[in-house]
Amino acid sequence: MSSTSSQEHNGYPRYFKKGVDHSVDVEVEVDVDEVRNPERRQIGLVSAVFIIFNRIIGTGVFATPSSILSLSGSVGLSLFMWLIGAIIAAAGMQVYIVWGTALPKNGGEKNYLEYLFRKPKFLITSMYAANGVLLAWAAGNSLVFGEYILLAADVEPKRWTLRLVGFACITFALLLHGTALKWGLRLQNLLGIVKIIVLIFVIITGFVALGGHMRIPKPHNFTNAFEGTTASASSFCLSLYSVIWSYIGFSNVNYALSEVKDPKRTVRIAGPLAIAVVTVLYMLANIAYFAGASKEEITGSGRLVAALLFRNVYGHKGERPLSALVALSALGNVLSVIFSQGRVNQELGREGILPFSKLWGSNRPFNAPLAGLALHWIVCLIVIFALPPGDAYNFVINVISYPLSVINAAISFGIVYLALRPRPDWPKVPLPAQLAAAFFGAANTFLFIVPLTPPPPGGEPYISLPYWTHAVAGWAVFGLGYLYWVIWAHVLPRVGRYELARSEEIGKDGLSRHTFKRIPL
């Protein structure tokens, strides 16, 4: 015999299936969604690794070395920044492993923040919803895809040409993941292999350049490697933003843990494996860039530093096909980003926090979160077509990294807090993981405080925007979430003389979801 019942979990009601395991004669809990939809767990260990891998390796390692070198001032510090980024990413991975094993469900940071901040009721959910919905994660790499694919086609990337190609890139990702999930995952896995091939080819090209086989004089960047180092906290912070942006993605599988086979085991293996491989590839790729181009060439190359290396070693004819491979790497990242952000939007819809929640929370009609993906697609299009092209990529990096630093600091110090004052359902966290959380929290605190200080002359992050634009925009996103909470959870109920109550129901797609109902006073 079995029965369905409800209890409070993380402050909200949760439904589960109770049954008796006769081998041990105890009651066990079974995920009701999995009972109704066992086919939803489609993501195995290999796909999970590539979901993380595709999110991490997008365009960062091909597009950001120029700005990192410019802000660092020297080759030595620039390489050191990539190593610092790897250490921070490894610590961050431990944070997300702790949370992913404690709360193995879709939604990522939304669940972790709700677990930590339960009062005022629904406030943290509203603020995270604004962050999840309003930030255009996939926009920047869609534009870089456009730059590299146009370069491969030998077409000048003019303002509207670039925007239209970026539009085509993100629209393709929307349609593929929204209508054919399995094919989308297969393509992500294939493009993950392409990324490895491209990075290995970049590294091989670097060794060719170190051997002196180039079409330009050898740059000798490793002689006096720290010459010209910029000593500025602001420049260091902005440089670290770009590095961390290139490592962002170690949390990617946490957004879809309800669709992962054996999620607790998978998250423990997939993340560290991806981080280790990526770190080695990143360090060798940057050495390759410095082996094949001068500092002046790299800082002047914008987001086409990989193309610069290919041109210096193989000439113009070799640059074009290799640029096409870099464009495919960017496409893989866009696919991975929209995959995860669509699920964040879907989970917010399932929680009933957004207007038209049933629409965003649905898996219909293709057993994929098409509506949630479309919501992210719309936000990305606004950024692609509205921002000045010269500042668009850096703005996207910084405005996403800033509020993410605030969130990461909160969930990291939250692990430390729960170690000191654990709750009944909180698992015991090993001391090394607690230390990693404290370090990750401190690093992210630095990242959201320093950008409020003026950068030194020549260290401005934008061409036409003030240096503080992304910091103000990041806090504005949280402010909009707070304003939404005030209106939705307080003003409208008072005017309409009702109370919001959260309950659980089963949607037409067979998935359980939380919905808000208006109870008359």
Side-chain angles (χ1 to χ4, degrees):
M1 295 292 291
S2 64
S3 62
T4 302
S5 60
S6 172
Q7 72 177 20
E8 288 293 315
H9 179 70
N10 301 344
Y12 301 108
R14 184 187 68 173
Y15 281 75
F16 58 86
K17 188 94 168 176
K18 278 189 176 179
V20 177
D21 184 340
H22 294 285
S23 64
V24 294
D25 196 27
V26 298
E27 285 189 334
V28 296
E29 289 187 17
V30 179
D31 189 330
V32 170
D33 283 351
E34 187 168 9
V35 171
R36 297 190 191 95
N37 296 276
E39 73 281 0
R40 73 177 181 149
R41 293 200 181 271
Q42 304 178 62
I43 302 172
L45 178 59
V46 173
S47 290
V49 171
F50 278 111
I51 285 172
I52 297 172
F53 197 75
N54 269 311
R55 180 68 179 265
I56 295 177
I57 301 181
T59 57
V61 70
F62 305 118
T64 61
S66 172
S67 63
I68 292 168
L69 176 60
S70 178
L71 290 165
S72 302
S74 70
V75 171
L77 182 57
S78 181
L79 289 173
F80 191 59
M81 295 301 299
W82 285 94
L83 183 59
I84 293 174
I87 294 170
I88 293 174
M93 186 70 255
Q94 290 302 312
V95 169
Y96 280 87
I97 287 174
V98 170
W99 282 109
T101 52
L103 303 174
K105 55 183 287 189
N106 281 9
E109 298 96 343
K110 182 190 76 66
N111 301 323
Y112 316 151
L113 292 168
E114 286 181 342
Y115 187 91
L116 286 169
F117 303 100
R118 302 182 179 186
K119 293 179 181 180
K121 200 173 183 180
F122 311 136
L123 172 60
I124 199 66
T125 309
S126 298
M127 294 178 71
Y128 181 79
N131 178 78
V133 171
L134 297 178
L135 295 182
W137 290 79
N141 287 331
S142 297
L143 291 170
V144 175
F145 168 84
E147 284 189 307
Y148 272 95
I149 203 69
L150 290 172
L151 182 65
D154 205 17
V155 176
E156 183 181 353
K158 294 182 179 179
R159 182 169 183 165
W160 282 100
T161 307
L162 179 60
R163 287 171 167 173
L164 289 173
V165 175
F167 164 78
C169 173
I170 197 167
T171 302
F172 171 76
L174 162 73
L175 295 176
L176 183 62
H177 274 320
T179 61
L181 175 59
K182 287 185 178 180
W183 283 105
L185 290 173
R186 288 168 184 164
L187 181 58
Q188 277 189 194
N189 292 351
L190 175 62
L191 292 176
I193 296 171
V194 169
K195 290 179 184 190
I196 296 175
I197 294 171
V198 172
L199 277 173
I200 290 174
F201 202 86
V202 166
I203 293 165
I204 292 172
T205 302
F207 282 110
V208 172
L210 284 172
H213 303 287
M214 293 192 296
R215 296 172 182 252
I216 63 166
K218 200 170 180 178
H220 300 288
N221 281 323
F222 302 108
T223 304
N224 298 322
F226 285 91
E227 183 180 355
T229 296
T230 302
S232 162
S234 179
S235 294
F236 181 85
C237 180
L238 289 170
S239 178
L240 200 55
Y241 264 166
S242 293
V243 173
I244 290 176
W245 168 261
S246 301
Y247 281 101
I248 281 178
F250 51 79
S251 62
N252 208 32
V253 76
N254 287 58
Y255 301 116
L257 286 178
S258 294
E259 301 169 57
V260 173
K261 300 172 184 175
D262 195 358
K264 293 184 179 182
R265 174 180 177 272
T266 298
V267 76
R268 288 192 183 103
I269 297 173
L273 178 60
I275 288 288
V277 173
V278 165
T279 298
V280 173
L281 293 176
Y282 274 11
M283 295 304 296
L284 292 176
N286 276 277
I287 291 172
Y289 296 141
F290 294 128
S294 68
K295 286 174 61 176
E296 292 73 23
E297 284 182 309
I298 293 173
T299 55
S301 65
R303 292 178 291 277
L304 301 176
V305 63
L308 170 66
L309 172 66
F310 297 148
R311 182 169 65 248
N312 286 351
V313 176
Y314 304 114
H316 184 65
K317 289 184 179 179
E319 176 187 12
R320 292 177 60 188
L322 293 170
S323 294
L325 290 176
V326 175
L328 289 177
S329 175
L331 174 61
N333 180 264
V334 172
L335 283 166
S336 185
V337 169
I338 201 169
F339 172 88
S340 60
Q341 289 307 120
R343 277 149 182 80
V344 170
N345 292 339
Q346 182 188 48
E347 196 65 18
L348 290 169
R350 292 181 66 190
E351 291 288 335
I353 203 71
L354 300 177
F356 312 108
S357 286
K358 288 188 177 182
L359 171 63
W360 311 124
S362 175
N363 248 17
R364 297 168 66 90
F366 302 105
N367 196 31
L370 177 61
L373 294 164
L375 182 57
H376 188 65
W377 175 78
I378 292 169
V379 174
C380 289
L381 291 188
I382 293 172
V383 171
I384 288 172
F385 286 100
L387 286 180
D391 285 331
Y393 184 75
N394 286 337
F395 177 80
V396 168
I397 289 177
N398 295 333
V399 81
I400 288 172
S401 299
Y402 190 90
L404 183 61
S405 295
V406 178
I407 292 171
N408 280 336
I411 64 173
S412 298
F413 289 130
I415 291 175
V416 177
Y417 172 80
L418 290 168
L420 299 173
R421 300 185 64 179
R423 293 172 182 169
D425 57 347
W426 182 251
K428 185 177 181 180
V429 177
L431 181 59
Q434 295 178 39
L435 295 175
F439 170 73
F440 192 58
N444 280 280
T445 301
F446 171 82
L447 289 174
F448 73 73
I449 290 177
V450 172
L452 298 171
T453 63
E460 295 82 3
Y462 306 114
I463 299 171
S464 56
L465 297 174
Y467 72 88
W468 41 260
T469 303
H470 62 276
V472 172
W475 287 113
V477 167
F478 289 130
L480 288 172
Y482 178 82
L483 181 62
Y484 179 76
W485 173 74
V486 169
I487 295 173
W488 168 71
H490 291 277
V491 175
L492 292 179
R494 288 183 182 179
V495 172
R497 299 185 62 79
Y498 63 84
E499 181 182 17
L500 283 176
R502 201 169 199 173
S503 62
E504 185 132 349
E505 65 178 32
I506 307 303
K508 293 180 180 179
D509 52 13
L511 294 175
S512 60
R513 60 172 51 89
H514 293 102
T515 58
F516 287 94
K517 294 184 178 180
R518 300 178 179 182
I519 301 175
L521 296 176

